[in-house]
Amino acid sequence: MATSSSGDRVPRDRPPHTDPLTLEVVELIGTVVARYHEEYEEAAAGHALTGAQARVLGLLSLEPMPMRRIAQKLKCEPSNITGIVDRLEARGLVERRPDAADRRVKLAAPTAQGAEVARSLRESLDFAREPLAELSREERLVLRGLLRRMAGGATT
Amino acid sequence: MATSSSGDRVPRDRPPHTDPLTLEVVELIGTVVARYHEEYEEAAAGHALTGAQARVLGLLSLEPMPMRRIAQKLKCEPSNITGIVDRLEARGLVERRPDAADRRVKLAAPTAQGAEVARSLRESLDFAREPLAELSREERLVLRGLLRRMAGGATT
DNA sequence: TATTGTTATACTCTATAACTATA
DNA sequence: TATAGTTATAGAGTATAACAATA
């Protein structure tokens, strides 16, 4: 599935877009993204959760928050969160609490069991750490710099 | 959202799991994965396609293939592909062709318009290339090595 | 009047199981 | 009998629009 396994020749006269090494790295990023999702779905399924449910639970395990903000974090419509939290609540993993300051707001928070599931879920996602550990500190710094640029708004 | 923005201190006495630099890189990978997906969905929506439809179209644009193999590539049940290809076919982006060798098989292939949409879709996903271009060849080689290990089966 | 969460609706994706036409 | 694709069904995620309670 690798594009060209681009040996060691250095193509000097191509535009950067066509550099086989860059192309392979771009493709590998796609592969890693796919693998990340597979692992995430698998880990969620291991707890009889869907991906969306696992994401919400993971989010709440960091910090309880109003329904509205969950939707903002997940970049979906608030109306969807109702059902997802409903199912998590039915499973005893999440609860809705009133907000003292604003009675319109409901704060979603993980139960003790929910927090435990969230922790277990996080640990299942370690596939990136092992290969990372083999990198030197300098290599990790290069990687961090690259990822920061890719994560940030540097699309332009 | 960055974990600690871990300056430049070197923590020598921690297990690799807790090294703040590694932790930040792991978190950044999650962020990049999320961004990758947002961009993909946005690009698909720009052509009035769902993510699944865009993935199938992209796959077929590389090589026409039987319905069954699409399901294998997408890691879903073959029955789902019927509907997705139905909708792509209704849009005139994909067509079903008979397989000369086996009359049970239907080969899904992009139309000229479908190939054009797939090409446009691919170009929308360039957000990784620009920061990549700023890396030296050596840095890209390090990155390739890491991604290969993360992409491969090196979970254990 | 504006906002929070919910309900109602419709569409897509998903897995499961049963069906058809080939092999 | 086994396989490729389909159909039927049910559950879940998604967006849109309208609603109740509260601000």
Side-chain angles (χ1 to χ4, degrees):
Chain A
M1 189 142 296
T3 307
S4 63
S5 86
S6 55
D8 287 296
R9 269 150 301 154
V10 182
R12 278 281 168 245
D13 39 350
R14 293 167 183 253
H17 270 54
T18 353
D19 165 32
L21 176 55
T22 298
L23 285 181
E24 186 184 353
V25 168
V26 167
E27 185 181 334
L28 278 168
I29 290 171
T31 306
V32 168
V33 166
R35 173 147 184 228
Y36 187 101
H37 259 81
E38 284 166 37
E39 306 247 330
Y40 198 93
E41 295 288 325
E42 259 177 54
H47 291 276
L49 294 173
T50 66
Q53 287 163 12
R55 269 188 294 279
V56 168
L57 183 57
L59 196 59
L60 296 180
S61 75
L62 300 176
E63 176 194 15
M65 63 183 72
M67 309 290 283
R68 209 89 185 173
R69 254 191 72 208
I70 303 177
Q72 287 165 353
K73 290 278 192 183
L74 263 68
K75 296 187 203 299
C76 72
E77 292 303 312
S79 59
N80 301 323
I81 305 302
T82 299
I84 296 174
V85 169
D86 278 352
R87 282 160 219 129
L88 287 171
E89 199 166 30
R91 291 273 306 276
L93 301 175
V94 156
E95 61 181 13
R96 276 180 248 234
R97 299 176 190 158
D99 183 320
D102 187 337
R103 283 192 301 172
R104 291 172 304 180
V105 171
K106 290 174 189 169
L107 294 169
T111 63
Q113 189 196 346
E116 170 56 25
V117 169
R119 194 198 54 69
S120 164
L121 226 35
R122 235 186 308 276
E123 288 199 350
S124 311
L125 236 44
D126 274 358
F127 83 98
R129 283 187 210 177
E130 181 260 334
L132 233 44
E134 296 174 32
L135 296 185
S136 72
R137 175 166 182 82
E138 285 67 33
E139 289 169 334
R140 269 178 285 176
L141 284 170
V142 168
L143 180 59
R144 181 183 68 177
L146 171 74
L147 291 174
R148 276 182 176 171
R149 268 177 286 163
M150 288 180 58
T155 325
T156 34
Chain B
M1 188 145 292
T3 305
S4 63
S5 86
S6 55
D8 289 297
R9 270 150 300 153
V10 184
R12 277 279 168 249
D13 40 351
R14 294 168 184 250
H17 270 55
T18 353
D19 164 34
L21 176 53
T22 298
L23 284 181
E24 186 185 354
V25 168
V26 167
E27 185 182 336
L28 278 169
I29 290 171
T31 306
V32 169
V33 166
R35 172 147 186 228
Y36 187 101
H37 260 82
E38 283 166 37
E39 305 248 330
Y40 199 92
E41 296 288 325
E42 257 178 56
H47 291 276
L49 293 172
T50 67
Q53 287 163 10
R55 269 188 296 280
V56 167
L57 183 57
L59 196 58
L60 296 180
S61 75
L62 299 177
E63 176 194 15
M65 63 182 74
M67 309 290 284
R68 209 88 185 176
R69 257 192 68 208
I70 303 177
Q72 287 164 355
K73 291 280 192 182
L74 263 69
K75 296 187 204 300
C76 74
E77 292 303 313
S79 60
N80 301 325
I81 305 302
T82 299
I84 297 173
V85 169
D86 279 353
R87 283 160 218 128
L88 287 172
E89 199 167 29
R91 291 273 306 277
L93 301 176
V94 157
E95 61 181 11
R96 277 181 250 234
R97 299 175 189 160
D99 181 322
D102 186 337
R103 283 193 300 173
R104 292 173 304 181
V105 172
K106 289 174 189 170
L107 294 169
T111 62
Q113 189 194 347
E116 172 55 27
V117 170
R119 192 199 54 69
S120 164
L121 227 34
R122 234 188 310 277
E123 288 198 351
S124 310
L125 235 45
D126 274 0
F127 83 98
R129 283 186 210 174
E130 180 260 331
L132 232 43
E134 296 175 34
L135 296 185
S136 72
R137 175 166 182 83
E138 286 66 34
E139 289 169 334
R140 269 178 285 175
L141 284 169
V142 168
L143 181 59
R144 181 182 69 176
L146 170 75
L147 290 175
R148 276 181 175 172
R149 269 177 284 162
M150 289 180 58
T155 325
T156 32

